[in-house]
Amino acid sequence: MSARKVVIAKAGGYGQLRIENLNQVSPGAGEVVVATQAIGVNYADCVIRMGLYSSAKEYVGWPITPGFEFSGTVESVGAGVEDLAPGDRVFGVTRFGGYATHVTVPRHQLFALPSKLTMEQAAGFPAVFLTAYFALFELAHPRPGATVLVHSAAGGVGSALLQLGRIAGCRMVGVVGGTHKVEAARALGAEVVIDKSREDLWKAAKAAAPEGYDVVLDANGPSTLRESYRHLGSPGKLVIYGFHSMLPRKGGRPNYAKLAWDWLRTPRFDPLTLTNDNTSVLAFNLSYLFERRSVLEESLARLLTWVEEGQVVSPQVTTFPLDAVAEAHRALESGTTVGKLVLVP
């Protein structure tokens, strides 16, 4: 089968996701070409397609092939790469370009496939677990016994956060958007699960932590940020890693009037108020961290140790053929999925 990739020529809806032939190149010094067997789908990919992802504009522009994570077999290696050979089973990360049958990356962005993960599970592992790891261990640093609130707790990052929080000895409170997600969140380590489709989110959050939360992890944006901050304890940390509520749940195109309104109602955090409240607001974008080799290697080394020990399990995986990439985006944007979506070339 010919080499192929997904290309987005310009910002827009699902129709902008086109399959094109991929001209393969030989790996440069220190690089590896991987024939992909599975490719992780992330909400950031949808944001890229809509033309709203800053680092995509900064690093690539149009046209762009989205995709941050993949698994497969080594096809060829460049000069200086001596610890991998064609046929080796690997998974890795890439700053864009992952939606393709072949991906070329620097050697340090690849890792041996763990015995406990399938190709599909491994392809959906790095982005969510690195996001969760960075949020919890690099930024929040919760102490054992801390009470932590996780929004979207049954999704990819949310389910990773629940597991890592449990390893850190925290009391985890998870928020889910539907009753069908409650058991998934509980199984992954949530001591309390708030089903906001059936109960008042903030009344339940207050009941679960009357003194406030040591850490709140929020990728929703303006729909919850203000209240997330108000429910912090003293001291407390709000960690922000996305703005999902600003974007559409169907149709695939941003509503610019809604975006403007949401931007206006996004809370601005004043340093004097933060100091007086004894709170912190922290935020990050994982795509800016891929070149931080030490962070990447240390984080994944600890995560993979936990995988091998059975302390961390990969999210539930739903697969889509590469040709059905638009269906995968539509499903992810709907907010009804559990775990990770993966493209299979």
Side-chain angles (χ1 to χ4, degrees):
M1 186 178 289
S2 63
R4 298 175 301 148
K5 62 181 178 178
V6 174
V7 176
I8 305 169
K10 61 180 181 179
Y14 309 119
Q16 291 299 331
L17 295 159
R18 309 278 174 80
I19 305 288
E20 295 185 3
N21 289 331
L22 169 64
N23 295 321
Q24 287 183 254
V25 295
S26 298
E31 291 184 336
V32 181
V33 176
V34 176
T36 60
Q37 291 191 26
I39 302 152
V41 179
N42 293 284
Y43 196 79
D45 304 338
C46 303
V47 183
I48 291 165
R49 193 200 69 240
M50 295 177 206
L52 300 172
Y53 205 73
S54 296
S55 66
K57 299 176 189 175
E58 181 178 333
Y59 289 115
V60 183
W62 305 110
I64 189 170
T65 295
F68 292 110
E69 55 186 350
F70 59 91
S71 63
T73 56
V74 173
E75 184 158 287
S76 58
V77 300
V81 178
E82 298 176 354
D83 58 343
L84 285 178
D88 286 351
R89 292 157 59 83
V90 295
F91 75 106
V93 295
T94 175
R95 189 163 58 198
F96 316 114
Y99 283 24
T101 60
H102 298 78
V103 177
T104 303
V105 291
R107 167 66 187 92
H108 77 271
Q109 291 174 209
L110 289 176
F111 304 87
L113 188 79
S115 61
K116 297 240 175 127
L117 297 182
T118 65
M119 281 285 185
E120 291 78 14
Q121 289 172 326
F125 186 86
V128 294
F129 273 94
L130 285 170
T131 298
Y133 185 96
F134 197 86
L136 209 58
F137 294 114
E138 293 281 338
L139 296 184
H141 294 288
R143 291 181 175 276
T147 300
V148 177
L149 181 71
V150 179
H151 288 281
S152 304
V157 178
S159 63
L161 282 165
L162 290 179
Q163 295 181 71
L164 298 187
R166 185 189 61 211
I167 290 170
C170 300
R171 174 175 175 259
M172 304 302 290
V173 179
V175 181
V176 298
T179 306
H180 65 294
K181 300 183 178 185
V182 170
E183 284 310 314
R186 191 165 282 128
L188 290 165
E191 182 178 315
V192 177
V193 182
I194 299 169
D195 177 4
K196 64 182 181 181
S197 72
R198 302 185 65 174
E199 57 188 321
D200 182 278
L201 163 57
W202 298 112
K203 190 179 292 183
K206 177 77 172 174
E211 301 300 314
Y213 290 88
D214 298 290
V215 179
V216 177
L217 298 139
D218 192 337
N220 290 334
S223 64
T224 54
L225 273 182
R226 196 176 302 278
E227 288 299 323
S228 287
Y229 179 80
R230 285 178 178 162
H231 284 76
L232 290 176
S234 173
K237 297 175 181 176
L238 171 60
V239 182
I240 302 164
Y241 58 97
F243 292 85
H244 293 178
S245 68
M246 296 178 76
L247 298 163
R249 283 294 182 199
K250 57 184 179 180
R253 294 173 180 272
N255 178 331
Y256 289 100
K258 181 181 183 301
L259 276 174
W261 169 242
D262 283 342
W263 182 82
L264 287 170
R265 69 191 186 103
T266 297
R268 274 62 173 168
F269 297 101
D270 176 83
L272 291 173
T273 304
L274 293 173
T275 305
N276 193 54
D277 290 348
N278 200 25
T279 53
S280 304
V281 177
L282 304 143
F284 70 104
N285 180 329
L286 189 69
S287 69
Y288 288 111
L289 300 172
F290 282 176
E291 288 171 349
R292 296 286 298 276
R293 185 168 175 169
S294 59
V295 172
L296 188 64
E297 291 177 347
E298 178 193 319
S299 305
L300 266 171
R302 291 188 74 188
L303 288 165
L304 293 177
T305 298
W306 290 328
V307 169
E308 294 296 349
E309 292 173 351
Q311 293 195 70
V312 160
V313 297
S314 172
Q316 176 183 326
V317 172
T318 304
T319 61
F320 291 78
L322 186 63
D323 291 334
V325 59
E327 293 305 314
H329 275 217
R330 186 177 285 111
L332 190 58
E333 288 172 29
S334 73
T336 60
T337 60
V338 174
K340 282 287 296 204
L341 307 187
V342 171
L343 300 172
V344 178

